[in-house]
Amino acid sequence: MTSRLNTMGDTFRARDISLKAQKKLLSKMSNKSMAKNFIDDTHASILDNTYNLAKSYTGNKKDAEKLVKNIIKIVVKINILSRNDQFSPEDLKVANQLKNKFTTIVKTVISFFEVDYTFDRSFLIKNINDCRGLLKQLVGNHLTDKSLGRIDHVLDFFTDATFLEEMFKKSSPYRPALKSIIDDMNKAFDEGGI
């Protein structure tokens, strides 16, 4: 009887069950109130403004909601994995590379917006796709194919050449919405959140 209990104990891990429960709960509750547990006000404002920009650009409320919900799910799941010490030392090296690449992207977007005639679509798309590769490398062993598909959905939106060209045109009708995002990004940098 004791050996049977030990065998059962070897396959059952409360931490794994807890992690699955958190992920499952997250998939059912990817809304603003859930996000506030993991995302501060400045980042929430970035997401709100991203929703407004995506809705305005696509003309589709449902697509804009799906984009932002997917961003929230990705961020929160990574946060859950990190809080539960699920990343190996190799994963943490990738996470550091991802953080550096993401910081480069944010600084680049800010610069492209603030400095006329600096927009370089190819450079931005390359860096976002590099970020995609690092992100998938980081979470590939931890998340489902459905979650990896969410990453592609989000990053496909932000690497669409037509979208990018439209965002960075001086005469773009989306410029005020992008300015709100840029202002929040600058605030996040000031607060040490990026």
Side-chain angles (χ1 to χ4, degrees):
M1 183 75 154
T2 304
S3 63
R4 184 170 180 224
L5 287 175
N6 286 342
T7 304
M8 287 174 60
D10 289 341
T11 59
F12 178 86
R13 291 187 46 203
R15 175 180 263 180
D16 293 344
I17 301 300
S18 172
L19 192 58
K20 281 184 182 180
Q22 288 178 54
K23 287 181 188 177
K24 189 68 172 173
L25 180 63
L26 167 67
S27 69
K28 302 293 183 203
M29 301 177 58
S30 62
N31 57 32
K32 283 186 186 180
S33 62
M34 181 66 170
K36 287 188 179 200
N37 292 322
F38 296 94
I39 301 170
D40 65 31
D41 289 341
T42 302
H43 289 93
S45 181
I46 291 171
L47 291 172
D48 288 341
N49 288 316
T50 298
Y51 165 79
N52 292 333
L53 179 67
K55 181 180 168 196
S56 177
Y57 178 75
T58 64
N60 189 318
K61 179 182 176 192
K62 203 171 217 173
D63 287 349
E65 286 175 355
K66 183 177 180 181
L67 177 73
V68 173
K69 282 183 179 184
N70 282 343
I71 293 170
I72 291 169
K73 286 178 181 181
I74 294 163
V75 169
V76 174
K77 284 183 180 185
I78 291 170
N79 200 316
I80 288 170
L81 289 168
S82 179
R83 285 185 181 187
N84 286 285
D85 297 320
Q86 296 297 301
F87 293 127
S88 69
E90 294 78 26
D91 289 338
L92 294 176
K93 288 177 186 173
V94 172
N96 193 47
Q97 292 174 334
L98 177 61
K99 180 182 176 194
N100 291 337
K101 181 63 71 173
F102 184 75
T103 300
T104 298
I105 291 168
V106 171
K107 287 180 179 179
T108 300
V109 168
I110 292 170
S111 175
F112 286 168
F113 182 83
E114 293 178 345
V115 181
D116 291 342
Y117 309 110
T118 58
F119 175 64
D120 183 339
R121 182 184 71 203
S122 298
F123 178 82
L124 188 54
I125 290 173
K126 180 197 178 306
N127 277 280
I128 293 171
N129 282 326
D130 289 350
C131 196
R132 178 195 316 250
L134 290 168
L135 183 55
K136 285 184 159 186
Q137 185 179 344
L138 175 65
V139 299
N141 293 328
H142 304 283
L143 300 180
T144 64
D145 288 343
K146 187 174 183 178
S147 291
L148 297 177
R150 286 186 183 107
I151 291 169
D152 284 331
H153 172 254
V154 168
L155 296 180
D156 286 348
F157 180 83
F158 289 109
T159 56
D160 180 83
T162 306
F163 169 77
L164 291 174
E165 289 290 341
E166 190 61 38
M167 290 306 111
F168 290 99
K169 279 196 311 196
K170 264 307 212 199
S171 61
S172 174
Y174 310 107
R175 198 131 175 105
L178 184 56
K179 182 181 182 332
S180 297
I181 294 169
I182 298 298
D183 290 345
D184 286 336
M185 287 178 171
N186 278 319
K187 184 177 178 186
F189 265 119
D190 292 344
E191 294 171 348
I194 292 182

